[in-house]
Amino acid sequence: MKPQLLILWLVLGLGCTIEQTGDVALRVFLAQGGPGALDLATRIRVGVVGGETVDVTVDEAFERGIAVPIAGDGATHQVRILGLDDAGTVVGRGDSAPITFELGSLTVVDVVLRPVGAFSGGLGLLTAARPIVRTVFDGERVWALSGASEQAAPDRVDVVDPWLTSVDGIDLPTALGLEPGVALGSGGALYLLTGAHGWRFDPGVAEPTAVMVAGAPILPGATVVDADDGWTLLGGLDERGLATTQCLHVTLSGDGFASTACHSMRRARRQPVAANAGAALVVLGGDPVGAYGEVLGAEELAGPGQAPSAGCSYGPASAVFVGDGSRRILSYSNGAFGSAGELAVARTGASIFRLSGDRFLVAGGAEAEVQSTGEVLTLGPSGQFATGGVLALIGPRTSAALHALPNGDALLIGGVDPNGNPATWLEVYTTPSPQ
């Protein structure tokens, strides 16, 4: 089958105009913020992931079109663009969404070129006028729910394309009578559950579908932790608005959900911080407990001081927590908490995300002021974490969320700015080692 010719034409600015021949047109956008992806680049490498690539120099790209062969074979591919310096080091990368190149029809491919090892902006903005109260990844995209507070029912949702080329805002119909509950994502859909019922939302579908929850009722204000076969829900508020010790295991069951009680927590908690560390589910904080921690179904642990704002696992029965208002990095390992290094700056309301292997990304938070920085932590053989120094964010934010993107990058979304207004801009940390 004859390959199609792709003409690449780069123009400085937010968008890059691409001339097209045959059946494929490529549009390249330069991400805003952070060090410019092309500032150090002297070559651009274009090709499909896992396929052949073509190198062109930046000067050539600005002066004339470059023909790049893309096979119109009816199969699904991703286009990857790399910016390389004189030494061949990758300083910029962009991945397209998976797309099928069909013969006989025009295929438009959008790619955002981003600096590696840094944060950069998305093309769209969240449409929410209220703070983002919950974010959910459904395996294909991120749903960002906004509302008056975390205890109130959401009134709007933004659907974010994981390749950050589009954001769709949707008002949630008041006729649904949504109540405070929990948000879950699975199979490309968003589920809002409360009590014994809920709703399923599918992208592009105007009307949601009612679903039922069999078993223990879903409480609002619970923390959702991913499990191998579903989700664990910790804490929540009862009908009097008081924190509970409840722990539920929730799974998909047919067209609905099954909810069963598991080990109750030793203390009542509302929205605790939790990390699923293999066989150990480590739980910290949650009003009105504060600093006391526990391993679910096991002993209560000595209080580690002020409760952190975020945590994630890093090995069998091991977890790391940050954001307690100090620079301290708190670890859980071998059945106990301990200090495991220091952040570059003090943070509360920070987010943490495991990039790959022994590398972790921390972003945002506040102390004396709302932070406009992030940092990458590396776990050493002694169990201590070392910071690589601060990375600039597009803007200051706290109480945001970090989500994995399909290529191994991380999306920073939601939170509030220094004035308490919704942080509507999207940011991506582009890892030097994509999947």
Side-chain angles (χ1 to χ4, degrees):
M1 190 169 292
K2 184 179 179 180
Q4 300 301 294
L5 286 183
L6 189 68
I7 301 298
L8 172 63
W9 185 268
L10 291 178
V11 180
L12 280 175
L14 173 62
C16 296
T17 304
I18 304 302
E19 301 293 338
Q20 171 266 332
T21 62
D23 299 314
V24 180
L26 173 66
R27 297 189 300 179
V28 180
F29 300 87
L30 302 183
Q32 292 181 313
L38 291 179
D39 286 351
L40 300 176
T42 57
R43 286 183 291 152
I44 301 296
R45 177 170 294 167
V46 184
V48 296
V49 174
E52 295 183 0
T53 61
V54 174
D55 282 10
V56 300
T57 71
V58 172
D59 288 341
E60 286 176 336
F62 289 136
E63 292 174 359
R64 62 183 178 81
I66 303 299
V68 179
I70 299 289
D73 55 4
T76 299
H77 300 288
Q78 285 182 273
V79 172
R80 173 165 289 169
I81 299 179
L82 301 177
L84 300 95
D85 64 13
D86 287 332
T89 302
V90 176
V91 295
R93 175 171 55 81
D95 295 331
S96 77
I99 195 164
T100 302
F101 296 108
E102 298 283 5
L103 288 174
S105 61
L106 175 64
T107 302
V108 178
V109 183
D110 288 343
V111 182
V112 183
L113 184 59
R114 304 182 178 281
V116 299
F119 286 93
S120 59
L123 296 186
L125 296 174
L126 298 178
T127 64
R130 298 176 185 263
I132 300 299
V133 294
R134 273 160 282 173
T135 57
V136 172
F137 184 62
D138 66 10
E140 299 179 17
R141 62 192 62 80
V142 176
W143 303 73
L145 295 101
S146 56
S149 70
E150 294 179 351
Q151 285 72 52
D155 53 25
R156 187 171 179 81
V157 62
D158 282 302
V159 187
V160 181
D161 157 40
W163 307 103
L164 267 70
T165 54
S166 66
V167 178
D168 295 322
I170 304 170
D171 285 319
L172 298 178
T174 56
L176 294 180
L178 289 176
E179 300 174 10
V182 300
L184 306 176
S186 180
L190 167 72
Y191 296 91
L192 299 182
L193 307 179
T194 183
H197 63 277
W199 298 94
R200 171 180 171 142
F201 296 83
D202 291 278
V205 179
E207 296 296 327
T209 303
V211 296
M212 301 302 295
V213 179
I218 305 295
L219 297 181
T223 293
V224 178
V225 182
D226 289 338
D228 291 339
D229 59 345
W231 303 266
T232 301
L233 274 53
L234 298 171
L237 304 177
D238 63 16
E239 64 277 1
R240 298 169 296 171
L242 300 177
T244 71
T245 61
Q246 178 175 268
C247 171
L248 298 179
H249 184 60
V250 177
T251 57
L252 281 166
S253 178
D255 294 330
F257 290 84
S259 171
T260 56
C262 46
H263 291 288
S264 294
M265 295 183 293
R266 290 178 174 269
R267 292 175 180 258
R269 303 174 187 267
R270 179 183 63 85
Q271 293 181 322
V273 175
N276 195 348
L281 183 54
V282 187
V283 186
L284 284 170
D287 295 339
V289 175
Y292 292 96
E294 61 181 280
V295 175
L296 203 64
E299 76 284 0
E300 185 171 72
L301 303 174
Q306 183 174 338
S309 60
C312 66
S313 65
Y314 66 87
S318 300
V320 58
F321 299 87
V322 297
D324 65 358
S326 72
R327 295 172 56 193
R328 180 179 61 163
I329 300 170
L330 181 70
S331 71
Y332 169 82
S333 184
N334 298 320
F337 285 111
S339 293
E342 289 189 337
L343 301 171
V345 295
R347 304 176 187 272
T348 184
S351 308
I352 187 169
F353 169 81
R354 187 176 186 179
L355 290 169
S356 61
D358 294 330
R359 300 174 68 249
F360 300 78
L361 181 66
V362 177
E367 185 48 31
E369 59 185 20
V370 177
Q371 292 289 340
S372 57
T373 64
E375 53 190 289
V376 174
L377 306 179
T378 301
L379 176 63
S382 65
Q384 295 290 298
F385 290 83
T387 178
V390 297
L391 302 169
L393 301 181
I394 301 299
R397 68 168 93 202
T398 186
S399 302
L402 282 166
H403 287 279
L405 295 178
N407 59 358
D409 295 343
L411 169 65
L412 182 63
I413 182 172
V416 295
D417 67 14
N419 298 317
N421 298 317
T424 57
W425 63 96
L426 302 169
E427 302 187 49
V428 172
Y429 175 81
T430 304
T431 177
S433 303
Q435 296 179 1

